[in-house]
Amino acid sequence: MFTARERTLLTSPYFRLIRQTDDFFEIQSRCTKHCWIVQKLSYDRYPVRIYHKHTKGTAYYHKHGHANTVSSAVRQIKSHDVWQLNGRRAMA
């Protein structure tokens, strides 16, 4: 389901690949060590769902959001990392 470009975005050096299937990628940000699932659907208004947890040891992911494209999901993850690394303050 993922295109070659999407796979490249999700396996870039920014992330550590944890697991990959036809429907989702489980990745870890090298900056914050937060874990993410980027799931691609074909039947939803927003075809990309984003799930998140703060540590690998946390049992469950929570739904973080959604996106129209995998590229947009990666931008959201990177934006979250910036917010997290800046002490969780609102960015101007």
Side-chain angles (χ1 to χ4, degrees):
M1 268 175 86
F2 288 88
T3 66
R5 183 178 186 287
E6 292 169 339
R7 286 191 298 274
T8 299
L9 286 171
L10 294 167
T11 58
S12 74
Y14 190 87
F15 299 113
R16 186 177 74 75
L17 181 63
I18 297 172
R19 182 171 41 155
Q20 169 185 351
T21 72
D22 289 341
D23 300 316
F24 72 87
F25 274 71
E26 185 176 6
I27 54 179
Q28 183 179 36
S29 167
R30 292 186 190 272
C31 293
T32 60
K33 305 300 185 223
H34 289 196
C35 297
W36 301 87
I37 290 178
V38 177
Q39 180 184 29
K40 195 168 175 187
L41 308 168
S42 59
Y43 58 84
D44 204 344
R45 178 176 175 200
Y46 297 103
V48 180
R49 288 190 185 159
I50 308 163
Y51 297 92
H52 172 251
K53 66 181 181 178
H54 291 148
T55 65
K56 281 183 82 173
T58 303
Y60 300 102
Y61 282 88
H62 63 270
K63 187 172 181 185
H64 182 78
H66 55 264
N68 286 321
T69 64
V70 170
S71 178
S72 175
V74 168
R75 281 194 305 274
Q76 288 182 45
I77 292 169
K78 289 181 177 182
S79 176
H80 181 275
D81 282 358
V82 168
W83 177 73
Q84 188 72 34
L85 293 169
N86 284 321
R88 302 175 105 179
R89 292 173 295 200
M91 295 175 53

